[in-house]
Every structure is written in structure tokens, then in C-alpha cells.
Amino acid sequence: MDSSQLLKGVLDLAVLAVLDDRDGYGYDVVRRLREAGLQEVGDASVYGTLRRLFKAGALTSYVVASDEGPHRKYYGLNDVGREMYAASAKTWAAFSATMAALLKEGQA
């Protein structure tokens, strides 16, 4: 199975989950997703997702100066983003439970 297609379907939820833990800038979000086990996630996909979620009103952003290079744009969840995260997590939980039941039936 092509896991990249699965990742496309859940990237919004994964990014929201990472930002629910704490705010982060683009590459920080990429790093945290990879550390969580999503090694295949692409930088461009995450940056695009952050921009799209920000445009949708789910994220706040602010700039922080960096001693190591250019300023960093941090993203965080706002009330809309927290609602989106909760709804998406509920949908994912129901979907994954259904898939787990189907797979168990297939193995019987």
C-alpha cells in the first residue's frame, strides 16, 4: 500500500496534532512529524498545509527573531483550529476503528 496517499489524507490532522502540543515554525513541525514516525512527510507538503490552515482561519502566526538565521514564523492553534482538530480527531478515531474491525474480520 502506498503510504504517501494515506499521509495526504491525514496531514492536516497530523499538523493540527503537533501544533496542539505546542506552537512551532515550519521546519520544527516537519521535524516533529518525522520524529513521531511520519518520516516520509515532505517539507513542501507541511509548509503548504500550514499556509492553507492559516488561510482557513485555523491558525495564528507570529514572527520570532532567530540567532541562527532569518526570523521564524511560528504557527499555533486558535479556537477554530482547536475545533477543527477535535472534529478531525473524532472522524479519524471512527474511521480507524472501522478499518481495524474490517481487517480483523479479514484475518478470521
Side-chain angles (χ1 to χ4, degrees), residues 2-4 9 11 18 22 24 36-37 43-44 46 49 52 55 62 64 72 77 84 86 91 94-95 100:
D2 183 9
S3 60
S4 66
L11 187 55
V18 164
R22 69 179 185 277
D43 296 13
V46 172
T49 298
R52 192 169 27 74
K55 274 185 142 178
Y62 54 94
V64 175
R72 293 181 174 153
L77 295 185
M84 186 183 292
T91 300
F95 178 78

Side-chain angles (χ1 to χ4, degrees), residues 51-66:
R51 283 190 300 273
R52 192 169 27 74
L53 290 171
F54 179 76
K55 274 185 142 178
L59 304 179
T60 59
S61 72
Y62 54 94
V63 176
V64 175
S66 172

Side-chain angles (χ1 to χ4, degrees), residues 20-34:
D20 186 56
D21 183 44
R22 69 179 185 277
D23 294 358
Y25 56 93
Y27 187 72
D28 176 56
V29 173
V30 170
R31 182 187 52 76
R32 288 160 55 193
L33 288 168
R34 289 178 180 159

Side-chain angles (χ1 to χ4, degrees), residues 10-11 14 16 18 22 40 45 49 54 57 62 66 72 74-75 79 81 83 85 87 92 108:
V10 297
L11 187 55
L16 291 170
V18 164
R22 69 179 185 277
E40 299 166 9
S45 296
T49 298
F54 179 76
Y62 54 94
S66 172
R72 293 181 174 153
Y74 278 75
Y75 293 92
D79 290 341
E83 289 174 17
Y85 175 50
W92 174 256

